[in-house]
Amino acid sequence: MLRRIVNWLVVLPIAIVAVALAVANRGSMTVSLDPFSREAPAYVLTMPIYVVILLTLTLGVVLGGVTVWWRQGRYRKRCRRAESDLHVARAEANRLRTELDRSAGLAASGGVPARISRPAA
């Protein structure tokens, strides 16, 4: 519930600013994608100014997210490796616990405790 409230407290002001930006910048703008010819460009887009601004912001957020995701790859790899090691350690602890319980059961019944075997390293 708190997360939803915080989400609205962040999203609502951003939405209000985006709508205000769109209303204030309705004029058209020509964007040339041809760096070689200024007089007769091959690729031209005409769109409202707010579309150019919002597309630029969106592209920046996406590129920033991809960059952060890429740079954190080594930490995700380290985490996966640690989880794998933890799984192996838990399995070994469970096996040793079972052997210990079995040995304790034999000792309680008067039998000779079994030798606890260790896996080869």
Side-chain angles (χ1 to χ4, degrees):
M1 181 66 178
L2 181 64
R3 184 174 182 169
R4 184 176 282 176
I5 292 171
V6 171
N7 192 21
W8 276 106
L9 288 174
V10 171
V11 171
L12 189 62
I14 292 173
I16 290 170
V17 169
V19 169
L21 180 74
V23 170
N25 295 297
R26 289 177 293 192
S28 291
M29 177 178 180
T30 302
V31 178
S32 172
L33 301 175
D34 186 3
F36 301 110
S37 176
R38 293 184 76 182
E39 292 78 28
Y43 305 107
V44 175
L45 297 170
T46 302
M47 60 183 77
I49 296 171
Y50 73 89
V51 172
V52 173
I53 293 170
L54 292 178
L55 285 176
T56 304
L57 288 173
T58 302
L59 181 65
V61 168
V62 169
L63 287 176
V66 168
T67 302
V68 168
W69 177 80
W70 184 265
R71 295 201 57 178
Q72 290 178 350
R74 62 180 160 212
Y75 301 114
R76 288 191 307 275
K77 184 177 180 180
R78 192 180 302 166
C79 182
R80 283 191 304 271
R81 190 174 295 142
E83 285 176 351
S84 175
D85 292 346
L86 177 64
H87 180 69
V88 169
R90 282 186 178 164
E92 183 177 356
N94 288 336
R95 181 186 61 79
L96 291 173
R97 190 174 295 121
T98 303
E99 285 186 24
L100 186 62
D101 290 344
R102 195 175 323 137
S103 295
L106 284 176
S109 66
V112 177
R115 180 174 176 260
I116 297 177
S117 62
R118 294 188 183 180

